[in-house]
Amino acid sequence: MSETSYGKILKDGMWTQNTGFVALLGLCPLLAVSSSVVNGLGLGLATTLVLLTSNVAVSLIRNLVRPEVRIPVFVMVIACVVTAVELAMHAFLPGLYTVLGIFIPLIVTNCCVIGRAEAFAFKNGVAKAAVDGIATGLGFLLALVLLGALREAVGQGTLFARADLLFGEFGKGLTLHLIDDYRGFLLAILPPGAFIGLGCLIAVKNVLDARAKRRAEVKPVHVLHEAGA
Amino acid sequence: MRFKTATSPHILRETGVGQVMRRVLYAMAPGVAALAWFFGWGVLVNLAIATGVALAAETSMLAARGKPLAVHLGDFSAVVTAWLLAVALPSLAPWWLTVLGVSFAIVVAKHLYGGLGYNPFNPAMIGYVVLLISFPREMSAWPIPHGVGQAHALGLPETLEIVFGGAGRLVPDGLTGATPLDVLRTQLGLGLTVTEIRNSPVFGIVSGSGWEWAALGFLAGGLWLVQTRAADWRIPAGMLGGLATIATVFHLIDPQRYAPPWFHLWSGAAIFGAFFIATDPVTASTTPRGRLIYGAGIGVLVYVIRAFGGYPDGVAFAVLLMNIAAPTIDLYTQPRVFGARRG
């Protein structure tokens, strides 16, 4: 277990074991919040912060907690962290807080948070648990932002609309209008668009993985052939 | 590899998917003709666009999935989907509406679910619902039927100009009007009674003027489909029976608040849906009793959506909802095997 390298932790969290695309954990916030890039980015950053903090906390107390009571302890830790993040967002990003609404406190129910605490942080040192929390969080953020971009672009023809919620005054200039005079395609913003979009993104990921695998299999033969020639 | 299959010796004619699908197309002809007479060239323009797009989408999806083209294009199922959807679209719909709806129906609702025979939902209705919830304004642009106070009928060039006009171009207001079910819905909301509303010029002998003749055409074609066994009588009978029953109950409770059953049977997509859409063999229930239940469920849902829901007509939503229920209905209505014990 302690042999896991940092590179592998990062790659697993962000791609191979991606929460959104592979493990399909935390689908409720993923589908509900990803109607725009900014919403996705906001929730993704909040979740990453929660994952990082809870992983570090769980890793720190892993030798003090008896395994029999570990789950209630995880729940307490995660609940504290989420409450703190919620209060911080309410104080510093009130606009985004209003838009994301119930989904900020609901980070507490995101299975990937307790999943990483149980499967990784409880068995590893603080540094590795921190890297794992960041990697898993960024993987979820990637899924949220990609799906948000897809739905926002198809649904209303923009990217980074209302970025001022996250970046203040500077964000107002970030909004991209992809197509002038776009009529909008409401389906992509509505719930069915989330399911269809996620399905397409998972399909694209599977295609990319299959292609990478095929290339990896072909390469050694190619090298042998060259060496023989 | 495709084996040549022979039919059993007691069946005189060879039937196949292609033949049934062609019959559906023939059976739509009278209704389509009536629609074209009352709503102009746009109906035929829609059909032409939809057919072209459906064949193109089907060809590219078949090629992408490595399926034989000739077999699957020759069974006309894509054309049937295209026609079912095109008939449901307003006749002055902009071209991109038809293109988008048909592509979605063929690519997402049909091929992403595994192609003909594997799709759990009726592709044409998926296409229709996608357009209805995404573009409500364009989807309500039905022209006023011929003979209801329209200044002049649009010629083919004018129709093409409206259909292919730029994205910003809208249909002139005087040409389009609310459909009869729309009028009923809005004016009931204003507190008028059914009798008062029926005096509006959009209503004809039984239901909407113009619309009722199209329904008659679809009824004729539908009865022919049932007679040739291309469609099972149980589904239309169940659907129209269910709709008529619940409409009668509510009409008896308060005749001034709820329109009579014959109006509901003859309005909107009820007849067309009963014979052409609900009877899709892939997405409907397959057992004899199950088909009656499936049909009745659609009929009741159509009424509920019309009378209490957010849309004037509900055939598409009702069909899709019962599509989800069809496998469960099949499970509980397995016919008794001959000789097996009852119960």
Side-chain angles (χ1 to χ4, degrees):
Chain A
M1 206 67 214
S2 54
E3 298 307 309
T4 338
S5 72
Y6 288 106
K8 187 169 174 346
I9 297 175
L10 274 175
K11 187 167 180 253
D12 274 355
M14 294 185 63
W15 188 260
T16 326
Q17 298 292 330
N18 187 301
T19 322
F21 293 145
V22 181
L24 299 182
L25 291 175
L27 279 190
C28 169
L30 178 63
L31 294 171
V33 169
S34 60
S35 57
S36 76
V37 178
V38 172
N39 288 359
L41 197 61
L43 190 77
L45 288 174
T47 311
T48 308
L49 190 59
V50 169
L51 267 162
L52 171 65
T53 325
S54 77
N55 262 15
V56 169
V58 167
S59 179
L60 277 173
I61 57 172
R62 71 183 190 281
N63 295 325
L64 304 174
V65 176
R66 295 179 58 83
E68 291 85 349
V69 295
R70 67 186 193 284
I71 299 289
V73 172
F74 294 165
V75 172
M76 297 293 287
V77 168
I78 295 166
C80 291
V81 173
V82 171
T83 310
V85 168
E86 189 200 350
L87 290 174
M89 282 184 84
H90 201 165
F92 299 111
L93 298 166
L96 193 66
Y97 179 83
T98 321
V99 173
L100 294 180
I102 186 70
F103 288 99
I104 302 170
L106 277 184
I107 295 174
V108 81
T109 63
N110 193 333
C111 339
C112 81
V113 180
I114 199 165
R116 291 327 289 175
E118 162 77 2
F120 197 91
F122 199 63
K123 301 167 185 161
N124 287 281
V126 176
K128 280 192 175 157
V131 172
D132 180 72
I134 293 176
T136 311
L138 289 182
F140 191 59
L141 181 104
L142 178 78
L144 272 166
V145 169
L146 278 182
L147 189 55
L150 182 72
R151 288 176 69 190
E152 192 182 338
V154 177
Q156 54 189 45
T158 60
L159 281 177
F160 301 106
R162 311 228 41 208
D164 49 313
L165 291 178
L166 203 54
F167 303 113
E169 279 303 306
F170 163 73
K172 285 198 174 143
L174 277 180
T175 307
L176 294 175
H177 288 276
L178 299 178
I179 308 164
D180 286 334
D181 206 18
Y182 188 62
R183 307 287 291 273
F185 187 36
L186 206 54
L187 183 82
I189 305 283
L190 293 173
F195 283 98
I196 297 169
L198 182 65
C200 293
L201 286 179
I202 293 176
V204 169
K205 182 185 182 294
N206 288 347
V207 168
L208 289 178
D209 282 348
R211 188 171 294 171
K213 200 176 162 196
R214 220 178 307 133
R215 204 167 292 158
E217 277 165 8
V218 167
K219 217 175 210 168
V221 182
H222 190 65
V223 171
L224 275 182
H225 189 71
E226 270 181 357
Chain B
M1 173 93 202
R2 211 167 161 259
F3 295 101
K4 178 138 183 66
T5 47
T7 49
S8 306
H10 58 279
I11 295 172
L12 297 178
R13 274 176 306 180
E14 206 170 328
T15 53
V17 177
Q19 194 188 4
V20 174
M21 294 291 173
R22 272 200 305 280
R23 277 195 186 149
V24 174
L25 294 181
Y26 301 148
M28 282 173 76
V32 168
L35 274 179
W37 168 259
F38 285 102
F39 296 101
W41 286 99
V43 177
L44 303 177
V45 174
N46 276 352
L47 278 180
I49 300 175
T51 311
V53 173
L55 288 176
E58 179 90 355
T59 310
S60 50
M61 284 310 281
L62 287 172
R65 299 177 61 213
K67 301 268 174 189
L69 289 183
V71 182
H72 291 282
L73 282 177
D75 68 14
F76 289 94
S77 63
V79 181
V80 168
T81 301
W83 281 36
L84 292 178
L85 179 54
V87 165
L89 294 177
S91 60
L92 292 179
W95 61 272
W96 51 265
L97 201 68
T98 318
V99 171
L100 191 67
V102 174
S103 321
F104 203 91
I106 299 283
V107 174
V108 177
K110 186 177 177 189
H111 278 288
L112 290 191
Y113 280 104
L116 184 67
Y118 294 93
N119 46 315
F121 301 106
N122 188 320
M125 288 304 98
I126 290 274
Y128 180 78
V129 165
V130 163
L131 296 180
L132 188 63
I133 63 173
S134 298
F135 306 101
R137 196 169 46 146
E138 282 83 358
M139 287 298 281
S140 59
W142 276 95
I144 298 165
H146 184 63
V148 190
Q150 188 188 336
H152 70 295
L154 286 176
L156 182 57
E158 288 169 287
T159 309
L160 288 175
E161 203 186 318
I162 291 178
V163 171
F164 290 98
R169 219 192 124 106
L170 277 178
V171 182
D173 256 353
L175 284 177
T176 60
T179 61
L181 280 170
D182 237 342
V183 171
L184 180 72
R185 185 182 171 70
T186 339
Q187 305 213 348
L188 276 177
L190 294 176
L192 273 75
T193 64
V194 170
T195 330
E196 286 168 334
I197 299 168
R198 285 293 307 263
N199 289 329
S200 155
V202 298
F203 294 100
I205 307 163
V206 187
S207 63
S209 55
W211 294 93
E212 54 197 11
W213 295 102
L216 189 68
F218 285 123
L219 178 68
L223 289 176
W224 178 71
L225 273 187
V226 168
Q227 195 252 326
T228 56
R229 308 276 175 94
D232 191 343
W233 63 270
R234 289 177 184 87
I235 296 175
M239 173 171 164
L240 297 176
L243 178 59
T245 311
I246 186 168
T248 310
V249 170
F250 277 97
H251 184 60
L252 288 179
I253 293 175
D254 186 356
Q256 288 311 329
R257 181 100 190 93
Y258 301 102
W262 52 88
F263 175 82
H264 275 290
L265 284 182
W266 220 246
S267 297
I271 298 277
F272 177 65
F275 285 98
F276 290 90
I277 292 168
T279 53
D280 172 19
V282 177
T283 56
S285 191
T286 51
T287 60
R289 257 190 319 147
R291 286 180 165 171
L292 279 172
I293 298 172
Y294 170 83
I298 297 178
V300 170
L301 280 172
V302 166
Y303 187 82
V304 169
I305 295 171
R306 279 184 186 176
F308 312 106
Y311 286 92
D313 201 356
V315 173
F317 292 110
V319 167
L320 292 179
L321 284 171
M322 290 309 286
N323 282 166
I324 313 177
T328 316
I329 296 175
D330 280 353
L331 186 69
Y332 288 107
T333 55
Q334 293 293 330
R336 193 165 52 95
V337 177
F338 181 71
R341 209 174 300 190
R342 211 172 278 276

